[in-house]
Amino acid sequence: MGQLLTAVPLLKLLLWAGGGSFITVLGIQLIRSTTTPLDVGSPQKAFHYRAAILAAFSIAWLNPQAILDGTMLLGAFRASLPGIKGDLFVSGVAISSFLWFTGLTTIVSLLKSQLNAKILTWINRVCGVVMLGYAVKLLSQFVGALL
């Protein structure tokens, strides 16, 4: 991926511009969102889960900074480690990511009775502001590369 981005500089520009724009939209949506508790018996529950899965997929797999960092940084670290050491490094990264996100999910599941609509709305707003800051970083990299 690093070689591809070096060989095709336009691709990096497109990732910065597209990613910055995408993250801006997501951040604004989070800031504007209002959260209401899910009714367990509601047929809309499945829709909410599909929307959540789609949003999580988009953020994880369509995030250009994650793609750049993941492929370039992990690829560079992996390439610098000979043989089994590189395999162990990549395995360690995968295991730690799995444990981190499983831990976060477990904590939220345990505390879900404490998370009312007001708290979730503020969590969304804080996350939205963080995402907008991240979008500014990506878009400034794009503008800086143009100048």
Side-chain angles (χ1 to χ4, degrees):
M1 185 67 171
Q3 288 179 344
L4 177 64
L5 291 171
T6 301
V8 185
L10 179 62
L11 182 60
K12 190 184 292 188
L13 290 174
L14 292 173
L15 284 171
W16 282 332
S21 300
F22 179 67
I23 300 295
T24 298
V25 169
L26 290 179
I28 290 170
Q29 287 177 343
L30 274 175
I31 290 169
R32 296 168 115 182
S33 71
T34 56
T35 306
T36 56
L38 289 176
D39 177 12
V40 176
S42 170
Q44 294 179 348
K45 181 179 180 187
F47 173 77
H48 288 295
Y49 283 123
R50 278 193 300 267
I53 290 168
L54 180 62
F57 173 83
S58 297
I59 291 169
W61 294 103
L62 301 177
N63 178 344
Q65 189 69 33
I67 293 169
L68 289 171
D69 285 347
T71 56
M72 293 176 76
L73 291 176
L74 287 177
F77 279 122
R78 170 61 182 95
S80 71
L81 298 170
I84 191 73
K85 290 181 181 180
D87 296 338
L88 291 173
F89 171 76
V90 171
S91 298
V93 168
I95 291 168
S96 64
S97 292
F98 174 79
L99 291 174
W100 172 254
F101 289 110
T102 301
L104 285 178
T105 304
T106 302
I107 290 168
V108 169
S109 294
L110 293 173
L111 297 176
K112 68 182 173 188
S113 64
Q114 310 283 322
L115 299 174
N116 60 36
K118 184 177 179 181
I119 291 172
L120 291 174
T121 297
W122 277 103
I123 289 172
N124 280 346
R125 288 180 180 157
V126 168
C127 290
V129 168
V130 170
M131 289 177 76
L132 286 177
Y134 183 58
V136 166
K137 177 185 182 258
L138 288 174
L139 293 171
S140 67
Q141 286 177 300
F142 170 72
V143 170
L146 291 177
L147 301 177

